[in-house]
Amino acid sequence: MTSDRRMQILDAAASLISERGFTSTSVDDVIKGAKLSGKSHFYHYFKSKEELGYEVLNRQFERFAERGLAILREPMIDPLERLGLFIDAVVALQAESGGRRGSPFGNLAAELADAHEGFRIRIEAVFERWASQIRSLLWEARPQLYDDVDAVRLSRFIIATLEGAVLMTRLKRDISVLEGIAVDLKRFIGTHVRDGIAAHHARDVE
Amino acid sequence: MTSDRRMQILDAAASLISERGFTSTSVDDVIKGAKLSGKSHFYHYFKSKEELGYEVLNRQFERFAERGLAILREPMIDPLERLGLFIDAVVALQAESGGRRGSPFGNLAAELADAHEGFRIRIEAVFERWASQIRSLLWEARPQLYDDVDAVRLSRFIIATLEGAVLMTRLKRDISVLEGIAVDLKRFIGTHVRDGIAAHHARDVE
DNA sequence: TGCCACTAGGACCGTACGGTCCTAGAATGC
DNA sequence: GCATTCTAGGACCGTACGGTCCTAGTGGCA
């Protein structure tokens, strides 16, 4: 049953949850947002609020995979350039909501990591898939990188910085926070590249 | 009335909130944690749960200022070295709770940034004070840094990365995530330093 | 012994939540 | 026209929350 109604519910829920958090989003809110007839209508499609949350998380990740992570796998573009484009895409995605939404994963992680093991595991899996995409890219780019580049550590650094930046952006309601951090992040990645650009030169290269 | 009881309540609340979040921590939980006799006892010290939350936030910041930010102002130590020590202190603070607690500010920010304007403003102020401490330090270190180092941007980058790293650490329940990111962060800061160490050399210098 | 001040402790209230179940009425088949 | 199926919509339930208020018991004092 991947009906329209189901999608409608998931969209409404995703929007509400990313704005107000999972706990603060009630089933009634979702019903109102998706214009359902009543509670029984909702529970026809989802067996519990928890299950709804899991599916919203899945859907958010799929969307992120399509619109963000896909860039990391573009075969016709140089891997490191792809990484830069991906970071730009994260900024653009964030700019869409005026920086008010935050990362759907980071928000849930902060809200539920300790309160709800089911979510914690699923969110961890999301970040792991994200990290593995970056690791593959770094592996692909390995001829251009210094030999001692630790792909696991660098991929974690990139993700943590982006998540932290999105959080700060949401808090300050100012997308330029993320933009600035994205620039620095790209520069940091540049310092791992073997073309011999020293750090203080890299700084000038956008 | 900065009584012991009050402190006891604040400690218990801080512990609960940093573990389970503000919304998921009930007043009854706090009462149980602080071993109060009943609700009226609690409401004798705090006029509402919201007010309790504000004071917990204040207290957490004061503790962080004493145990963390204080390092940034140590007058006898070279500023950049201080920055490294500060990052170490953040790691150590996080290790104390086994990486399970997360940042008291980042957690609240993610949980309440959009849901509760009062908290948002206060949390933003906390980060602003933190950022200003780093900016002062960078200003102090300015003779050692390249001329084009943007203190505002770099301070934001440092904070965002640390917050993101703490979030990831909590999610994965693995302190080594933060440790690795801290190493990279120090290296990134190193690339702003004028001593001519190129990035790929800096990598070897712990 | 009788009185008072104080507070521990809990009963209670209104609201909101997740979730279940029932009914009124429209659509369908004969 | 009548019976049957289906579902929109809401009434309802138990629980948990934030917050208020009252009672019963204790200790101090004359």
Side-chain angles (χ1 to χ4, degrees):
Chain A
M1 288 271 176
T2 329
S3 68
D4 287 349
R5 263 291 159 66
R6 224 183 133 79
M7 285 300 169
Q8 208 175 330
I9 299 174
L10 285 170
D11 284 340
S15 173
L16 288 166
I17 290 172
S18 68
E19 275 168 24
R20 329 212 283 231
F22 181 74
T23 312
S24 299
T25 300
S26 73
V27 174
D28 286 332
D29 291 336
V30 174
I31 288 167
K32 208 179 294 175
K35 292 183 173 114
L36 298 180
S37 65
K39 277 221 174 83
S40 52
H41 200 174
F42 171 85
Y43 282 100
H44 174 67
Y45 292 101
F46 298 91
K47 72 179 244 277
S48 69
K49 189 193 177 191
E50 192 183 35
E51 174 127 348
L52 170 72
Y54 292 161
E55 297 211 25
V56 166
L57 183 60
N58 278 340
R59 197 165 147 70
Q60 296 271 35
F61 180 72
E62 277 163 30
R63 282 175 52 115
F64 180 63
E66 286 164 19
R67 304 185 53 189
L69 295 181
I71 299 169
L72 294 175
R73 286 194 310 268
E74 282 291 335
M76 305 298 289
I77 307 176
D78 170 78
L80 290 174
E81 195 179 330
R82 262 182 275 160
L83 193 49
L85 290 173
F86 168 73
I87 292 171
D88 292 339
V90 170
V91 176
L93 239 42
Q94 193 59 20
E96 267 180 30
S97 68
R100 279 178 111 87
R101 285 222 178 155
S103 153
F105 319 128
N107 286 353
L108 285 181
E111 185 186 350
L112 300 170
D114 283 317
H116 199 300
E117 186 68 5
F119 273 105
R120 208 210 97 227
I121 289 173
R122 284 168 173 81
I123 299 164
E124 193 184 341
V126 163
F127 281 112
E128 177 48 36
R129 288 171 70 181
W130 182 356
S132 88
Q133 295 277 345
I134 295 184
R135 286 198 307 268
S136 312
L137 182 140
L138 291 174
W139 174 253
E140 211 182 319
R142 128 191 69 97
Q144 307 171 57
L145 301 175
Y146 291 112
D147 293 333
D148 60 353
V149 168
D150 182 334
V152 170
R153 225 173 61 190
L154 182 53
S155 65
R156 282 179 183 165
F157 186 90
I158 293 169
I159 292 173
T161 298
L162 286 175
E163 282 296 325
V166 168
L167 182 62
M168 289 301 130
T169 298
R170 189 162 76 116
L171 186 65
K172 303 201 88 163
R173 303 205 180 299
D174 180 1
I175 190 76
S176 73
V177 173
L178 176 56
E179 287 166 350
I181 292 172
V183 171
D184 276 343
L185 180 57
K186 286 189 214 167
R187 196 193 309 147
F188 178 64
I189 294 168
T191 64
H192 296 73
V193 179
R194 207 190 264 279
D195 61 9
I197 291 184
H200 62 287
H201 292 137
R203 187 172 306 110
D204 302 326
V205 190
E206 200 237 14
Chain B
M1 284 284 170
T2 330
S3 69
D4 287 350
R5 263 290 158 68
R6 225 182 131 78
M7 285 300 168
Q8 209 175 328
I9 298 174
L10 284 170
D11 284 341
S15 173
L16 289 166
I17 290 171
S18 67
E19 276 167 24
R20 328 213 283 229
F22 180 74
T23 312
S24 300
T25 300
S26 73
V27 174
D28 286 332
D29 290 337
V30 174
I31 288 166
K32 208 180 293 176
K35 291 183 173 118
L36 299 179
S37 64
K39 278 222 175 79
S40 53
H41 200 175
F42 171 85
Y43 282 99
H44 173 67
Y45 292 101
F46 299 92
K47 73 179 241 278
S48 68
K49 189 194 176 190
E50 192 183 34
E51 174 125 347
L52 170 72
Y54 292 161
E55 297 212 25
V56 165
L57 182 60
N58 277 341
R59 197 166 147 71
Q60 296 272 35
F61 180 72
E62 276 163 29
R63 282 176 51 117
F64 181 62
E66 286 165 19
R67 304 186 53 189
L69 295 180
I71 298 169
L72 295 175
R73 285 193 309 268
E74 281 291 335
M76 305 297 289
I77 308 177
D78 170 78
L80 290 173
E81 195 179 331
R82 261 182 275 160
L83 194 48
L85 290 173
F86 167 72
I87 292 171
D88 292 340
V90 170
V91 176
L93 239 42
Q94 194 58 20
E96 267 181 29
S97 67
R100 280 179 111 85
R101 284 220 178 157
S103 154
F105 318 128
N107 285 352
L108 285 180
E111 185 185 350
L112 301 169
D114 283 316
H116 198 301
E117 186 69 5
F119 272 105
R120 208 211 97 225
I121 290 172
R122 284 169 173 80
I123 299 165
E124 193 183 341
V126 163
F127 281 113
E128 177 49 35
R129 288 172 70 182
W130 182 357
S132 89
Q133 295 277 344
I134 295 184
R135 286 200 305 268
S136 311
L137 181 140
L138 291 174
W139 175 254
E140 211 184 319
R142 130 191 66 98
Q144 306 172 57
L145 301 176
Y146 291 111
D147 293 334
D148 60 354
V149 168
D150 181 334
V152 171
R153 225 172 61 189
L154 181 54
S155 65
R156 282 179 184 166
F157 185 90
I158 293 169
I159 293 173
T161 298
L162 286 175
E163 283 295 326
V166 168
L167 181 61
M168 290 301 130
T169 298
R170 188 162 77 116
L171 186 65
K172 303 201 86 159
R173 304 207 180 295
D174 180 0
I175 190 77
S176 73
V177 173
L178 176 57
E179 287 166 351
I181 292 172
V183 171
D184 276 343
L185 180 58
K186 285 189 213 166
R187 195 192 311 147
F188 178 64
I189 294 167
T191 64
H192 296 73
V193 179
R194 207 190 265 279
D195 60 10
I197 291 185
H200 62 285
H201 291 135
R203 187 171 306 110
D204 303 326
V205 189
E206 197 239 11

